[in-house]
Amino acid sequence: MVAGVLAAAPQSFGLAHSLDGHTGAVLSLAWTKNGAYVLSASQDKTLRLWNPHTGAHVKTYQGPHNHEVADVVISEDNSKFISCGGDKHFFQWDVSTAQVIRKFVGHDRKVNALAFGPNQDVVLSASNDKTVRIWDLRTRSRGSMQSLAEATDSVLCVAVAGDEIVSGCTDGAIRRYDVRKGQLVVDSLLQPVGSVSFSKDRACMLVSTLDHNIRLLERDTGNILATYSGHVNKRFKVQSTLDPTDSVVISGSEDNRICMWDLVEAKLLCTLTGHAGPVLCASFSGGTLVTAAGDGGVKVWTAEVVPATRAQSMAAALPADSGLPSEFGRSSRRPASALPATPLTRLAAAFQAPASTGPATQAPAAGADVDAAGGDVEGGREGRSRSPP
């Protein structure tokens, strides 16, 4: 816990800017690493670069995408970004020239999400073709270096934490691949998984499922530590995230709200309104929150910070080892299955340093539900393993 958490009162958040220009639902947001700019990816086949602090539109990127742009990730030096979507292929861009400098070919269906590996030597892509593919950014090869094909349905999100790759799938499973050990662990939540992100210490995973719930899972054991509800999330992929202090859970909602919960008490703190469509993504940089919705709008919110004394008192109530109350969660076991040694050990060299990026997630177009064929996502399918209650 750091010295400061977001204020709980709704009046502590103010709308600073409305960023207008997209003509379709905004499906993903990504900050530059210095927090100066934000990129938005849209159903209108374009990406837009904004200065969220002034509300200015800086540049539009368009051309190679013939379908919606579902996700975008930005390099550490802010000089390049990678975007994906309904094209099956995805693209690496030069930020300053707005030109595509590399095309990645290999998926058979829509690419839903992207994530960089450690040191950004590789990029991972999640697709409706039921695979996660790993691509070597140190070479000019258009093909992938490895494919993870254990999913039984569309893979909607992917994240990297240290030596691990984590994917969320329409089949209700969270799959965790340990690159060094060559093991796969599966947690089944029995509902489509639309968003996965990590706490700063990577000890916990925040997981959104299409049953109006967000769950905080202990990464090593799969224990459900807390469940957050009160928002609407049944038809669309809606992103959830933690605030910069790991003390507040933030999520969009299909009823056009932004919802915030206390991490420890799982109590709904406040809601923000202003969007005219389902709020699909939310992303923080410092004290600035940017949200985007199915109405094509991007909004910038400023948040006050609670004085350090209050944050310190909250931190004092938490165990030093985990940052979470000991009564959270229930014991569970997850079977670890060994993967063939050769595929993952090929990737080990690219996973030498902890990953610094969080998960990349995306959201569906307004009025269109998400599954492999663009139809409804209703209910969930039982996965291959399930943690006991």
Side-chain angles (χ1 to χ4, degrees), residues 163-186:
D163 299 329
E164 293 184 347
I165 300 168
V166 178
S167 66
C169 186
T170 304
D171 63 15
I174 299 172
R175 291 177 174 85
R176 193 186 94 190
Y177 300 86
D178 189 310
V179 172
R180 291 195 180 279
K181 295 179 181 178
Q183 288 185 336
L184 168 63
V185 175
V186 181

Side-chain angles (χ1 to χ4, degrees), residues 80-82 90-94 99-102 104 137:
K80 295 181 283 292
F81 67 86
I82 302 176
F90 60 101
F91 309 94
Q92 185 178 44
W93 302 68
D94 182 278
Q99 297 298 309
V100 170
I101 57 178
R102 185 171 176 182
F104 301 85
L137 297 178

Side-chain angles (χ1 to χ4, degrees), residues 21-247:
H22 282 297
T23 58
V26 177
L27 310 181
S28 180
L29 296 167
W31 285 89
T32 56
K33 303 311 174 186
N34 56 10
Y37 300 95
V38 67
L39 260 175
S40 55
S42 174
Q43 182 193 12
D44 66 11
K45 308 174 189 177
T46 72
L47 301 103
R48 287 178 176 257
L49 183 67
W50 312 87
N51 183 330
H53 308 291
T54 65
H57 171 241
V58 179
K59 187 176 290 190
T60 298
Y61 301 87
Q62 59 186 337
H65 285 287
N66 295 314
H67 299 274
E68 75 274 13
V69 187
D71 197 19
V72 59
V73 291
I74 303 175
S75 65
E76 287 287 346
D77 63 5
N78 300 322
S79 66
K80 295 181 283 292
F81 67 86
I82 302 176
S83 61
C84 69
D87 303 277
K88 304 178 186 177
H89 315 313
F90 60 101
F91 309 94
Q92 185 178 44
W93 302 68
D94 182 278
V95 170
S96 59
T97 65
Q99 297 298 309
V100 170
I101 57 178
R102 185 171 176 182
K103 181 178 180 180
F104 301 85
V105 179
H107 283 294
D108 297 327
R109 306 190 73 173
K110 173 184 174 182
V111 182
N112 294 309
L114 300 167
F116 282 119
N119 295 330
Q120 301 196 342
D121 289 332
V122 297
V123 65
L124 293 86
S125 55
S127 172
N128 280 355
D129 65 11
K130 307 179 186 179
T131 70
V132 173
R133 291 179 181 263
I134 300 97
W135 313 75
D136 194 341
L137 297 178
R138 298 164 296 186
T139 71
R140 298 297 301 172
S141 172
R142 296 175 72 188
S144 62
M145 62 186 294
Q146 180 60 40
S147 177
L148 306 177
E150 286 70 32
T152 62
D153 210 329
S154 301
V155 187
L156 303 181
C157 49
V158 63
V160 174
D163 299 329
E164 293 184 347
I165 300 168
V166 178
S167 66
C169 186
T170 304
D171 63 15
I174 299 172
R175 291 177 174 85
R176 193 186 94 190
Y177 300 86
D178 189 310
V179 172
R180 291 195 180 279
K181 295 179 181 178
Q183 288 185 336
L184 168 63
V185 175
V186 181
D187 292 310
S188 183
L189 298 179
L190 308 183
Q191 296 290 337
V193 178
S195 174
V196 175
S197 58
F198 292 97
S199 58
K200 288 192 179 302
D201 61 5
R202 302 194 184 104
C204 299
M205 298 185 295
L206 189 68
V207 180
S208 292
T209 51
L210 275 70
D211 60 351
H212 315 293
N213 286 302
I214 302 168
R215 297 171 178 86
L216 186 70
L217 273 65
E218 188 175 19
R219 178 177 153 200
D220 288 341
T221 67
N223 289 350
I224 297 177
L225 305 177
T227 300
Y228 311 91
S229 59
H231 64 308
V232 179
N233 185 197
K234 185 66 175 179
R235 297 176 60 198
F236 301 133
K237 282 168 38 57
V238 173
Q239 181 186 8
S240 61
T241 187
L242 290 164
D243 80 301
T245 70
D246 279 355
S247 57

